[in-house]
Amino acid sequence: MPAPTSWSPNPPPAPSYDAGPRSTFTNTIRLKLRVPARLRNLELALLVPALGIVAFALVLVQLATSGKTDAGILTLAGLLALLVLAMHVAMRLVAPNADPLILPIITVLNGLGIAEIYRIDISAKLSGWESAGVRQIAWTAMAIVIAIVVIVLIRNHRVLQRYRYIAMFSGILLLILPMLPLIGTTINGARVWISVGPFSFQPGELGKVALAIFFAGYLVTARDSLSMVGRKVLWMTFPRARDLGPILVVFAASMAVLIFQKDLGTSLLYFGLFLVMLYVATGRASWVVLGVGMFLVGAYVAFTTLSYVTGRVNSWLDAFSNANYTAQVNSSYQIVQGIFGLAHGGLIGTGLGLGQPYRTPLARSDFIFSSLGEELGLVGIFAILALYLLFVSRGFRIGFAGEDDFGRLLGVGLAFVVGLQVFIVIGGVTRVIPLTGLTTPFLAAGGSSLVANWIIAALLLRLSDTVRTTPRLVVEP
């Protein structure tokens, strides 16, 4: 019979367990709490010099043109800075994991655009609401407020997928609004504006956002039929004839914009957006081959049948000929003046406020890149291009890091539409491609463009907050 166990008033210590899982759990929670704060602190650290660059640019413009500073415009710029900081605070509260580089980048671009527009206004002796710079500040304030609303109201980008058909009808409506007889307005030969009282707006800028949402939602549901079946020709698999419907519809809409609204840039922008999103969704290079071929055929037909397209191509190919330079319609005068302005800037530029950008027509809008190139030089425009490249690359990174197909397509589409628009505009100014009527994102004067591009930035920030990869809990048995 076994001896009874002796009793002790002090029980033995509890068996020790491996603290590995608990330590991993605790460290992961702490890391999750640290990462958002670190991202937002980085954003704030970048916003301070970004706002300083904008303030310095405005002061330089004032000192170079008049030898003194104007407290009025600096006060308005200070109010914009408060709105930017308010957006930063809003992201701390509702989007703590959002990308920390996007807001500082667009702040610098938007601010440099305001400074250059204000500089051209000074040479034209415009003040008050007549000044395009003051109007640009007002539009920027409205755009930032709308961006904050987008960040606060849309807590998850997947909600937008439910409204893809509403986005489709909204995009179509925004496209046809300029064609209405009472509100549609033709400016510089293109009928892409609507006018209500003293205000004018370009609805196609917002249309690109709505169509990007629709394309992303549609391609998520239709990509299987668009990517898995087809006929192989050489090394590429081409889609069936019955699957060509979507690309034919978008191609027809792009050609309608080109023919009826006489807007080559918007036509190329919409079709290029759909083509790239289609390629990302399906992975088929054959879609790109078909799309580029269709657009080249359409462009050739437009060149041979539409006089304004013919004129723009001729002005592009032979801009320095006397016939094109002095032509009454589709003159190359604007292109040549913009090139002379870029050449005058040289390597380091004349300095803000010391150039002559006002000699180029539409120096505030279509040719603001040339205006900035003259006063900031090759170094300055390379810095601006680097900011655009960084913005687009962050957008692509956000899109490809997404865990859902809709988020991937939407992120890539939104980033690509900004990059394509920059290429179309700057390519036209530098004679890489024929000149179009699009505006340089965030830089050029124009309220509709500002609002649309700030919405794009807000959606990318929301996407980056939703899809950012965070460390997972690792709990071992």
Side-chain angles (χ1 to χ4, degrees):
M1 187 172 181
T5 304
S6 60
W7 177 84
S8 173
N10 297 321
S16 61
Y17 298 97
D18 182 13
R22 182 177 299 177
S23 175
T24 304
F25 181 88
T26 304
N27 291 338
T28 304
I29 292 296
R30 288 176 180 170
L31 186 57
K32 280 187 174 184
L33 293 175
R34 269 194 223 110
V35 168
R38 189 162 63 241
L39 292 174
R40 300 280 64 78
N41 291 340
L42 174 60
E43 180 181 74
L44 182 60
L46 294 173
L47 273 178
V48 172
L51 294 172
I53 290 172
V54 175
F56 185 62
L58 286 170
V59 171
L60 277 182
V61 165
Q62 292 176 345
L63 292 177
T65 54
S66 60
K68 59 182 180 180
T69 58
D70 180 7
I73 197 73
L74 293 178
T75 302
L76 293 176
L79 295 176
L80 283 186
L82 292 178
L83 283 176
V84 171
L85 294 175
M87 186 168 178
H88 166 76
V89 172
M91 285 193 293
R92 278 188 180 270
L93 298 176
V94 301
N97 284 308
D99 189 278
L101 301 184
I102 289 179
L103 184 58
I105 290 171
I106 62 178
T107 298
V108 173
L109 290 172
N110 202 160
L112 287 177
I114 290 173
E116 187 63 29
I117 294 167
Y118 174 62
R119 180 263 174 280
I120 298 172
D121 288 340
I122 292 177
S123 64
K125 298 181 180 179
L126 299 176
S127 61
W129 191 249
E130 295 180 352
S131 168
V134 174
R135 294 198 302 271
Q136 188 78 347
I137 291 175
W139 278 112
T140 302
M142 184 184 300
I144 297 174
V145 170
I146 293 174
I148 294 173
V149 171
V150 170
I151 287 286
V152 172
L153 292 185
I154 302 176
R155 297 300 180 92
N156 193 317
H157 69 273
R158 297 177 185 90
V159 175
L160 297 173
Q161 189 175 0
R162 304 176 190 171
Y163 305 104
R164 57 186 180 276
Y165 292 111
I166 295 178
M168 178 191 71
F169 289 116
S170 300
I172 294 173
L173 178 63
L174 289 169
L175 279 178
I176 65 175
L177 273 179
M179 302 306 299
L180 299 180
L182 296 179
I183 59 175
T185 304
T186 300
I187 299 178
N188 297 324
R191 193 176 179 86
V192 294
W193 298 84
I194 60 172
S195 297
V196 180
F199 299 98
S200 60
F201 198 79
Q202 191 173 351
E205 288 286 345
L206 290 177
K208 66 186 181 185
V209 182
L211 290 178
I213 295 173
F214 165 68
F215 291 157
Y218 167 76
L219 291 173
V220 166
T221 59
R223 67 173 185 171
D224 289 341
S225 63
L226 296 174
S227 60
M228 292 185 178
V229 292
R231 178 176 297 177
K232 192 168 185 178
V233 179
L234 297 179
W235 65 91
M236 286 189 298
T237 302
F238 287 88
R240 300 175 301 180
R242 71 182 72 174
D243 296 327
L244 293 176
I247 195 171
L248 292 176
V249 170
V250 177
F251 174 74
S254 300
M255 290 298 104
V257 170
L258 179 63
I259 295 170
F260 297 108
Q261 297 185 359
K262 297 183 179 181
D263 190 356
L264 178 62
T266 301
S267 173
L268 177 59
L269 188 69
Y270 288 159
F271 192 65
L273 169 64
F274 180 71
L275 198 60
V276 166
M277 294 180 71
L278 184 60
Y279 171 71
V280 173
T282 62
R284 277 190 175 182
S286 57
W287 282 113
V288 178
V289 174
L290 283 173
V292 172
M294 291 168 61
F295 192 84
L296 289 177
V297 171
Y300 178 76
V301 173
F303 170 71
T304 56
T305 58
L306 301 176
S307 60
Y308 80 95
V309 176
T310 305
R312 289 200 175 187
V313 172
N314 290 334
S315 297
W316 166 57
L317 293 174
D318 194 9
F320 291 91
S321 72
N322 187 61
N324 288 328
Y325 185 78
T326 58
Q328 296 295 322
V329 180
N330 294 316
S331 169
S332 63
Y333 174 79
Q334 185 182 25
I335 301 175
V336 172
Q337 288 297 105
I339 292 174
F340 285 162
L342 288 171
H344 186 217
L347 181 63
I348 60 174
T350 62
L352 281 172
L354 298 177
Q356 301 175 11
Y358 47 83
R359 292 184 177 274
T360 303
L362 301 178
R364 301 179 184 89
S365 52
D366 292 10
F367 273 71
I368 194 168
F369 185 77
S370 174
S371 302
L372 286 166
E374 179 181 1
E375 300 199 332
L376 298 181
L378 187 64
V379 174
I381 62 174
F382 271 14
I384 292 172
L385 289 175
L387 290 176
Y388 279 123
L389 180 62
L390 186 57
F391 178 89
V392 174
S393 66
R394 299 301 289 187
F396 283 162
R397 181 177 182 272
I398 292 167
F400 289 124
E403 297 180 356
D404 64 296
D405 295 331
F406 176 76
R408 283 195 198 96
L409 288 173
L410 184 60
V412 171
L414 292 174
F416 177 78
V417 78
V418 174
L420 180 60
Q421 187 163 344
V422 170
F423 170 75
I424 292 172
V425 175
I426 296 178
V429 172
T430 56
R431 284 191 67 210
V432 175
I433 60 174
L435 187 65
T436 65
L438 293 178
T439 56
T440 315
F442 300 107
L443 283 177
S448 49
S449 177
L450 272 179
V451 171
N453 289 308
W454 273 90
I455 291 175
I456 288 175
L459 290 175
L460 287 175
L461 287 169
R462 171 50 65 201
L463 278 166
S464 65
D465 178 67
T466 306
V467 306
R468 179 174 291 275
T469 303
T470 54
R472 298 179 180 178
L473 295 179
V474 180
V475 181
E476 299 175 359

